[in-house]
Amino acid sequence: MGYRVAIVGATGEVGRAFLRVLEERNFPVDELVLFASERSAGKRLTFKGEEYTVRDLSKEGSFKGIDIALFSAGGSVSKEWAPKFAKDGAVVVDNSSAWRMDPDVPLVVPEVNPEDVKDFKKKGIIANPNCSTIQMVVALKPIYDFAGVKRVVVSTYQAVSGAGAKAIEDLRKQTKAWCEGEPIPPAQKFPHPIAFNVLPHIDVFFEDGYTKEENKMLYETRKILHDPDIRVSATCVRVPVFYGHSESVSMETEKEISPEEARELLKKAPGVVVVDEPKSNLYPLPIHAEGRDEVFVGRIRKDRAFERGLSMWVVADNIRKGAATNAVQIAELLVRENLI
Ligand code: NAP
Ligand code: 3JN
């Protein structure tokens, strides 16, 4: 049996990845309906060799008959439209931050807290975490279960694709202009040039000096691990990479765990690939993670700043595992658990 699937934000970076991931994983799609704004209405996108016409979401009145709606059109679209899909009977898997911290909405990473997926019935919405949180918790979970994790200090190196199609265009145009000796065109998405630069600024700043992206890493990690006491101090940084977020993750554990023990646990962990032979120059790299669904972990070593500390380097494709793949895995979980 197949399902009637809607994609909201189908023309975007994440929306197009939804189409690829649904096709590659052979998700049972009986019917597909694609939505975007009026700007893209009428555009055609391909799924399994067939063309589908994009519809203007704002012109739609009813969503009856849709089983699963995958949303990636930003927070305000999710806030307004996800409840309308849910009211008409769809289960919404939402990629924005709009619903993540709602106590009636589960926040799910299938390798970490699959049991939470069933708690969607109050609102009909399941939230997909932020990309930086997803890859970090997939790598933390086996260590957390074995040794407990009290605190995490993380710095991210985030690809421009996390900021959408226009940000990718910014990096491409600025790099080309720089290489050709032309003036660098102004960025559409960033407050400074991103080519040959590093910006310690993702999303908006708060009074305490942290950004919203950094807060997402703290509060989402607490919700996913059901641990209100875990401390996460994040510094989120944009780097001139097209696809793949990298993270330097240092943690203090409750009990002793050696790098060898951590490496063995991570090798067995679902969705994780250990790449950790530094003497042969083997460690995770965004260019190797691009197009892949796993989380890559390497540079596993004792952290020198904590009493019982461990450090590692974690890389994943932010548009796939960080967004589209995680959401499709949630849909697969709903099917496997007979929840739709
Ligand atoms: P993008 O490339 O800029 O695409 C945005 C998509 O949203 C386009 O399809 C756009 O349609 C559509 N859209 C915008 N306004 C709309 C409206 N009023 N009604 C209907 N559709 C509308 O951005 P993206 O990278 O795909 O990201 C989209 C959203 O996904 C983000 O804002 C974020 O909330 C979420 N996201 C989450 C993660 C994560 O960490 N899990 C990562 C990346 C993105 P048009 O073609 O018509 O403009
Ligand atoms: O910048 C990144 O690398 C990830 C960005 C994610 C993002 C971008 C725009 C709006 C989000 C998100 O998923 O948290 C949002 C949002 O919905 O708040």
Side-chain angles (χ1 to χ4, degrees):
M1 181 187 130
Y3 298 87
R4 286 161 297 186
V5 178
I7 299 179
V8 177
T11 51
E13 268 301 300
V14 179
R16 288 169 193 268
F18 273 139
L19 290 169
R20 287 194 297 275
V21 172
L22 287 168
E23 179 164 344
E24 284 168 22
R25 295 174 77 95
N26 206 17
F27 187 83
V29 177
D30 260 0
E31 214 175 296
L32 186 64
V33 195
L34 305 181
F35 296 106
S37 77
E38 63 179 355
R39 290 180 292 275
S40 292
K43 262 194 192 159
R44 296 172 77 75
L45 297 175
T46 306
F47 176 71
K48 288 195 170 172
E50 261 183 64
E51 285 206 333
Y52 292 80
T53 304
V54 176
R55 289 152 68 155
D56 176 357
L57 182 65
S58 68
K59 298 249 161 61
E60 300 289 325
S62 165
F63 305 102
K64 289 216 161 60
I66 289 173
D67 300 307
I68 304 173
L70 302 171
F71 267 63
S72 66
S76 55
V77 174
S78 295
K79 262 270 177 278
E80 181 181 351
W81 292 88
K84 296 181 183 175
F85 278 74
K87 184 172 142 289
D88 282 351
V91 182
V92 173
V93 184
D94 181 37
N95 250 290
S96 81
S97 59
W99 300 97
R100 288 180 193 149
M101 297 316 297
D102 186 317
D104 294 332
V105 172
L107 182 64
V108 177
V109 179
E111 292 88 343
V112 180
N113 60 334
E115 64 286 353
D116 289 343
V117 82
K118 63 181 185 320
D119 301 330
F120 68 86
K121 298 217 167 111
K122 274 201 186 134
K123 291 231 161 87
I125 302 170
I126 301 166
N128 200 71
N130 178 268
C131 41
S132 299
T133 311
I134 293 176
Q135 67 184 70
M136 182 174 79
V137 294
V138 167
L140 274 187
K141 171 73 170 164
I143 297 158
Y144 185 89
D145 286 347
F146 179 84
V149 175
K150 287 203 318 207
R151 66 188 91 234
V152 179
V153 178
V154 53
S155 296
T156 69
Y157 303 68
Q158 297 184 217
V160 292
S161 53
K166 286 209 167 73
I168 295 174
E169 203 178 297
D170 279 343
L171 177 57
R172 194 165 283 136
K173 282 188 176 159
Q174 290 179 357
T175 307
K176 186 168 181 285
W178 190 92
C179 292
E180 290 170 358
E182 304 288 337
I184 303 285
Q188 307 170 79
K189 271 287 186 177
F190 305 115
H192 304 282
I194 182 62
F196 309 100
N197 208 359
V198 165
L199 311 180
H201 175 184
I202 297 181
D203 214 330
V204 295
F205 278 100
F206 292 117
E207 277 307 306
D208 65 359
Y210 282 91
T211 64
K212 192 171 171 193
E213 184 84 350
E214 292 159 355
N215 276 5
K216 289 172 191 171
M217 293 193 78
L218 165 62
Y219 295 111
E220 293 177 16
T221 299
R222 287 183 170 172
K223 181 167 174 174
I224 294 163
L225 294 176
H226 297 278
D227 182 350
D229 298 322
I230 190 168
R231 289 165 169 242
V232 179
S233 182
T235 304
C236 291
V237 180
R238 187 77 65 197
V239 295
V241 164
F242 284 108
Y243 292 95
H245 287 1
S246 306
E247 296 177 350
S248 158
V249 181
S250 291
M251 72 200 85
E252 184 184 21
T253 54
E254 303 268 1
K255 68 174 219 202
E256 198 69 52
I257 176 171
S258 68
E260 295 71 31
E261 283 173 315
R263 206 171 285 118
E264 286 314 305
L265 287 170
L266 284 159
K267 277 183 187 164
K268 286 185 249 153
V272 173
V273 176
V274 172
V275 184
D276 200 12
E277 292 172 46
K279 287 185 181 142
S280 309
N281 301 333
L282 289 174
Y283 26 71
L285 296 174
I287 52 171
H288 293 155
E290 187 177 335
R292 299 280 298 266
D293 290 324
E294 306 95 323
V295 173
F296 298 84
V297 185
R299 296 290 318 274
I300 302 163
R301 62 203 190 278
K302 224 170 170 28
D303 186 275
R304 291 172 173 167
F306 295 124
E307 187 63 36
R308 290 173 302 284
L310 200 68
S311 287
M312 56 194 188
W313 177 249
V314 181
V315 179
D317 185 323
N318 54 302
I319 296 296
R320 290 185 66 108
K321 183 56 191 164
T325 302
N326 197 74
V328 173
Q329 284 176 307
I330 291 172
E332 289 170 347
L333 203 51
L334 290 169
V335 170
R336 209 176 315 130
E337 301 291 321
N338 288 319
L339 291 165
I340 47 168

